[in-house]
């Protein structure tokens, strides 16, 4: 069984607000999620994306990874 996702209601609400703003715009929208290693950035994004795809299936979500200690600062990738 998956680990329950708890304690991030404020962050999910803010991301939902940004998604609604993007839906009403005719422009591409980008946002960044930053934080120290291990604070749950990837899990937050994963949970939000899973919820958002249900309400807006035609949205395209693109994410990237920071590369520590040199290399490209961000490698965007499109999730299937």
């Amino acid at each position: 069984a998956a680990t329950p996702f708890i304690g991030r209601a404020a962050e999910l609400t803010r991301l939902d607000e940004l998604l609604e703003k993007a839906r009403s715009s005719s422009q591409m929208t980008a946002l960044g999620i930053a934080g120290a290693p291990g604070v749950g950035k990837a899990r937050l994004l994963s949970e939000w994306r899973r919820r958002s795809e249900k309400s807006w299936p035609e949205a395209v979500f693109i994410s990237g990874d920071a590369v520590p200690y040199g290399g490209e600062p961000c490698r965007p990738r499109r999730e299937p």
Side-chain angles (χ1 to χ4, degrees):
T3 305
F5 187 73
I6 58 172
R8 302 298 285 270
E11 291 90 343
L12 287 171
T13 298
R14 181 65 181 135
L15 290 169
D16 288 342
E17 291 168 356
L18 292 169
L19 180 62
E20 285 305 313
K21 185 176 180 180
R23 288 180 87 162
S24 65
S25 172
S26 61
Q27 298 179 6
M28 182 175 70
T29 301
L31 65 96
I33 298 175
V39 298
K41 300 175 299 290
R43 179 70 189 272
L44 173 64
L45 185 58
S46 175
E47 289 294 323
W48 175 69
R49 179 180 171 186
R50 182 185 58 77
R51 292 170 20 145
S52 300
E53 286 177 331
K54 290 178 183 176
S55 64
W56 195 13
E58 65 276 12
V60 175
F61 293 84
I62 299 173
S63 62
D65 295 314
V67 179
Y69 310 114
E72 296 178 48
C74 186
R75 295 182 313 240
R77 68 175 184 269
R78 182 176 175 178
E79 303 280 337

